[in-house]
Amino acid sequence: MSGLTLATISHAFAGRRVLDTVSLVIRPGELVALVGPSGSGKSTLAAIAGGVLKPDRGRIMRRYARHGMVFQQARLLPWADARDNIGFPLQLAGMGAERIAARVQAAAEAVALRPDDLSKRPDALSGGMRARVAIARALVVEPDFLVFDEPFAALDPALRRRMQDLVLSLSGARGFGGLFITHDLFEAARLAHRIAVLDRQGRGITGSLTPPGAPGTRSEATIFGFVEKTRDDPLLRDLVNVDERALPLEGACDISGFRRCC
Amino acid sequence: MMRSMRFDPGLIRARQRERLAEWADMLPVLAGRAAWRIGPPLIGIALFLALWQAAHLQYGAFILPSPWQTVAATVTALSGLAGWAALGATLARVLLALGLSVVIGGGLGLLSGYVAVIRAILAPVAIILLGMPATAWVILTMIWFGPSHGAILFTIAIVTGPILYIGTVDAVRGRDRRLEDMAASFGASALARFHRVALRQILAALGPVIGIALALGFKVAIMAELVTNVAGLGAEMARARAQMDIDMALANVALAVIGLLLIEHLLIRPLQSRTGHWQRPDG
Ligand SMILES: Nc1ncnc2c1ncn2[C@@H]1O[C@H](COP(=O)(O)OP(=O)(O)OP(=O)(O)O)[C@@H](O)[C@H]1O
Ligand SMILES: [Mg+2]
């Protein structure tokens, strides 16, 4: 059982406040989906949670052994093939080559990468393959907490579904907690115990929504009904409605669906 | 059924014939590809030699020997120990001095790349040194050290050092830091981030810079040898000039070009392809 507490986190980039006293408690074994408009500071919060960025103010308490992190962009080493990219965290930890090979094999299978794709370098992989390599790299460390920043945005619906099931089985079987950032309300409603909504200007978590039942046990109808109902929730106003920042109508994107723009 | 098919000699022969036919089909394509690769450079070389020959016919052998005479003179120079010694002396000097400037220029560049204060302090110094003409250094070191081996080494190092410095600073600053963040998320220490993620990118960016520094170092070496008359290709050229031996002068130029090509292909290219292979889309 693993959890994470982010207490009154504030962070500014070059004097511009991006996160302002954001607090988020992820209880042991809880998978929290974080949603919020683009530019609200979700990735920044993920970087802080993952220990990549030191916040200007605030405290982080981790109650887990290891986290596995997936960034919004795949961030693969361009000189290494997919196999070495997946094994990179294990190499860092100084693990032996044989054990690395076995673990990489298992992680690659879990994300449905074919063996012949494993010897390709990132520039020879498709966008979806790169995303899956990054996911495999996060899973290969056998994490007990996940920090996933829109990990499935580049995947087709079938693969996306498969990856969601993978996360569900991991969190269900081993009681993982995690912070899962997504723009897709259906994805959030399928995977998460709770959906936290980040304020549009990063001024704290404005509230949470809890889909009925536990993740993995919700039926499609339940998920669909929940998403339809919460669309009207004032919490999600900034996320669901087309606001003043949006493009002209023909270029407008469906923020909550697959076709959301990047 | 399977077995009889696999061991049927007629079938095997048919398959071999098929494969041969495939090869025969491929042959024009492969030949065409090879022609495209080596054809244009060959045309370039032929053009250069033709111009040279034309100029030779126009001005006579006393001003410009023919390409053939130059080849003959080069072979003569290399058939004695003196020619090899001159080439070796120059090559050794360039490599030694370049190593020195890689250590000092590259080392300071690494430091400056990471520490802004040092970068700010060294920036004007680097600009001044970069602006100094190489000939000025040849004269200065002649006065300071006299015509010696050390003077030439110093000249080459001081001319190439700032280039390597600037190149290293740019390489450090231009690296993809998001990859280091990625490594940090998996618990990599600062040292591990440097030597597993950053250094790789820095070396790859440095390859072309070292190539440029090498070519420049070679030119400076010959110039310094020419002025100081210390053994080497430059000194051989000075001798050729004194004796008005144009064949020998050109032979030394040819040797200098050969020396540069040798270092480029035996040293720089392999290094580059080891550190930077991922940057070429076709590599
Ligand atoms: N390294 C950085 N330097 C300066 N500003 C940054 C940096 N990273 C993020 N920002 C700024 O912080 C704000 C929040 O960015 P962040 O990436 O956290 O948004 P996000 O919620 O993840 O958006 P999206 O949904 O589009 O991914 C943006 O205004 C962005 O310009
Ligand atoms: Mg983001």
Side-chain angles (χ1 to χ4, degrees):
Chain A
M1 286 296 182
S2 49
L4 170 73
T5 303
L6 300 168
T8 59
I9 301 281
S10 296
H11 193 74
F13 284 116
R16 211 176 66 77
R17 209 26 100 81
V18 171
L19 293 174
D20 195 354
T21 49
V22 175
S23 298
L24 179 63
V25 178
I26 299 178
R27 288 190 295 273
E30 188 184 33
L31 194 70
V32 172
L34 182 68
V35 299
S38 183
S40 56
K42 300 183 299 296
S43 296
T44 310
L45 196 63
I48 290 168
V52 171
L53 191 66
K54 222 176 102 47
D56 295 341
R57 218 160 297 148
R59 273 167 61 78
I60 307 157
M61 280 154 279
R62 300 190 171 90
R63 271 158 293 145
Y64 54 76
R66 257 184 318 279
H67 58 232
M69 185 155 179
V70 175
F71 293 84
Q72 195 165 358
Q73 303 91 11
R75 301 202 184 178
L76 306 179
L77 304 174
W79 56 85
D81 61 12
R83 185 176 286 110
D84 288 346
N85 263 298
I86 297 174
F88 177 68
L90 304 181
Q91 277 175 5
L92 274 179
M95 192 182 275
E98 241 164 70
R99 282 180 66 203
I100 291 182
R103 285 239 212 147
V104 166
Q105 184 72 27
E109 263 166 36
V111 299
L113 279 170
R114 286 207 316 273
D116 53 322
D117 291 331
L118 286 184
S119 21
K120 289 180 185 160
R121 282 205 306 267
D123 56 3
L125 294 170
S126 76
M129 288 176 187
R130 282 198 283 267
R132 277 178 283 155
V133 171
I135 296 166
R137 180 179 63 192
L139 297 180
V140 85
V141 299
E142 301 191 339
D144 53 355
F145 192 84
L146 308 177
V147 181
F148 277 25
D149 189 357
E150 300 194 41
F152 309 149
L155 303 181
D156 66 53
L159 266 175
R160 185 182 263 251
R161 189 58 184 254
R162 183 167 169 165
M163 293 298 120
Q164 290 170 356
D165 289 339
L166 178 66
V167 169
L168 275 178
S169 74
L170 286 174
S171 75
R174 298 199 223 148
F176 282 12
L179 178 65
F180 193 101
I181 295 171
T182 178
H183 277 99
D184 183 350
L185 280 180
F186 285 98
E187 184 167 84
R190 272 197 89 206
L191 293 183
H193 292 89
R194 180 159 68 91
I195 303 175
V197 184
L198 185 61
D199 174 72
R200 169 171 173 171
Q201 261 133 31
R203 301 208 194 99
I205 302 287
T206 49
S208 311
L209 302 160
T210 311
T217 63
R218 296 172 189 138
S219 70
E220 289 305 307
T222 317
I223 293 169
F224 192 78
F226 172 79
V227 171
E228 282 305 303
K229 194 160 58 67
T230 51
R231 267 186 201 291
D232 302 328
D233 197 301
L235 266 180
L236 297 181
R237 213 184 49 229
D238 281 342
L239 193 67
V240 175
N241 293 334
V242 178
D243 60 34
E244 66 272 18
R245 294 166 310 164
L247 307 163
L249 211 60
E250 67 269 21
C253 46
D254 169 10
I255 296 179
S256 58
F258 295 135
R259 288 178 295 113
R260 77 174 191 82
C261 44
C262 306
Chain B
M1 179 70 194
M2 266 315 276
R3 176 164 298 186
S4 67
M5 238 169 77
R6 194 173 294 162
F7 290 106
D8 179 358
L11 213 94
I12 289 176
R13 231 171 289 135
R15 207 169 282 164
Q16 278 171 345
R17 235 175 300 154
E18 211 172 274
R19 198 164 290 167
L20 269 180
E22 259 171 36
W23 267 102
D25 284 346
M26 282 293 287
L27 217 57
V29 178
L30 289 178
R33 229 179 264 165
W36 263 115
R37 226 177 37 163
I38 52 176
L42 279 181
I43 295 174
I45 293 172
L47 214 64
F48 177 75
L49 291 180
L51 275 177
W52 183 351
Q53 181 69 22
H56 158 71
L57 291 177
Q58 175 73 27
Y59 297 109
F62 189 67
I63 304 288
L64 186 66
S66 71
W68 177 244
Q69 280 168 309
T70 306
V71 171
T74 310
V75 171
T76 315
L78 283 184
S79 61
L81 207 64
W84 284 106
L87 183 61
T90 303
L91 276 182
R93 254 179 222 133
V94 171
L95 288 182
L96 206 67
L98 207 64
L100 207 69
S101 68
V102 164
V103 169
I104 297 175
L108 282 176
L110 268 184
L111 210 64
S112 288
Y114 279 99
V115 187
V117 179
I118 299 183
R119 184 162 68 243
I121 294 172
L122 288 182
V125 181
I127 289 173
I128 292 170
L129 288 183
L130 268 179
M132 288 272 290
T135 30
W137 282 115
V138 174
I139 306 299
L140 282 179
T141 49
M142 254 293 259
I143 296 170
W144 293 343
F145 305 115
S148 66
H149 179 63
I152 298 174
L153 281 184
F154 181 84
T155 310
I156 304 171
I158 197 96
V159 170
T160 55
I163 294 176
L164 284 162
Y165 169 80
I166 297 266
T168 313
V169 173
D170 281 348
V172 173
R173 309 265 296 148
R175 75 197 195 277
D176 186 353
R177 286 178 215 200
R178 291 171 311 171
L179 292 179
E180 282 159 73
D181 287 349
M182 180 277 292
S185 82
F186 290 110
S189 64
L191 192 68
R193 290 203 296 271
F194 173 71
H195 90 117
R196 296 233 180 208
V197 183
L199 197 58
R200 188 69 192 245
Q201 300 176 60
I202 293 170
L203 285 180
L206 222 48
V209 178
I210 293 182
I212 292 172
L214 172 75
L216 186 67
F218 215 77
K219 285 173 198 162
V220 171
I222 289 174
M223 192 165 61
E225 286 166 358
L226 190 100
V227 172
T228 55
N229 219 349
V230 171
L233 285 178
E236 291 297 304
M237 280 185 209
R239 208 154 60 85
R241 195 195 59 131
Q243 300 167 356
M244 295 295 277
D245 185 346
I246 181 78
D247 283 18
M248 192 173 130
L250 272 185
N252 279 305
V253 173
L255 280 183
V257 173
I258 290 171
L260 196 58
L261 287 179
L262 274 183
I263 305 187
E264 171 83 27
H265 283 269
L266 293 185
L267 223 74
I268 306 293
R269 289 282 173 90
L271 191 89
Q272 232 163 313
S273 62
R274 270 194 46 183
T275 58
H277 63 90
W278 45 281
Q279 289 184 317
R280 285 200 315 273
D282 56 335

